[in-house]
Amino acid sequence: LSETISRLSTKDGVKCTILLSASTGSVIQNTGTISLPSRAANGASSSSSASSSIQTSLSTSTSAAPEDSPRDEMMELAKMVYQFVKTAGALVENLDPQDQTKLLRLRTKRFELVIVPDPKYIFVVVHDTPSA
């Protein structure tokens, strides 16, 4: 698993990778950097302003993180991905209880998220959207 993460994180266009626990949605491992616009600029309500970028590494600091730190931003992205996977899984189960979600791709103007749910993990790769 670590070898796959290392290999994918060095590919051209890959901004970050995230490995989540499929049962809890907690971040197990992450790599890379991704710049996201401020939530306030998008009109989304938030109790605090969002940072304009996410910067993460494999190491996790044990010191107290300031409000809206890159770690907090990564946790928020992980939470949204986890909810997306759970919702998509419920849709597939409602369509056919014998079926399973194997791959989700979410493409925006700026990024593409490739999400691979597994019984134990959820693996996410965020990369630049290739030009059409």
Side-chain angles (χ1 to χ4, degrees):
L1 192 59
S2 292
E3 184 179 305
T4 301
I5 292 170
S6 295
R7 184 173 40 84
L8 286 172
S9 63
T10 60
K11 296 267 185 195
D12 287 340
V14 171
K15 297 297 182 187
C16 71
T17 63
I18 309 169
L19 183 65
L20 304 174
S21 164
S23 60
T24 64
S26 60
V27 176
I28 297 170
Q29 185 174 356
N30 55 282
T31 65
T33 302
I34 183 171
S35 295
L36 299 176
S38 170
R39 290 176 144 213
N42 288 334
S45 64
S46 176
S47 59
S48 61
S49 64
S51 173
S52 63
S53 68
I54 296 175
Q55 295 182 342
T56 59
S57 66
L58 289 174
S59 62
T60 304
S61 174
T62 56
S63 62
E67 189 173 336
D68 294 332
S69 71
R71 179 88 176 136
D72 291 342
E73 291 293 325
M74 182 57 69
M75 293 302 207
E76 184 65 25
L77 178 61
K79 179 181 171 184
M80 289 185 284
V81 167
Y82 183 72
Q83 290 173 345
F84 179 61
V85 168
K86 292 301 179 187
T87 302
L91 172 68
V92 170
E93 188 174 321
N94 285 334
L95 293 172
D96 181 355
Q98 303 301 314
D99 208 353
Q100 279 186 312
T101 306
K102 293 299 211 180
L103 176 80
L104 298 166
R105 290 178 80 165
L106 178 64
R107 188 172 180 159
T108 70
K109 290 179 185 178
R110 296 179 57 208
F111 302 110
E112 182 173 44
L113 282 77
V114 179
I115 305 165
V116 182
D118 179 83
K120 197 170 181 181
Y121 304 108
I122 299 170
F123 186 62
V124 183
V125 177
V126 179
H127 61 88
D128 290 327
T129 299
S131 56

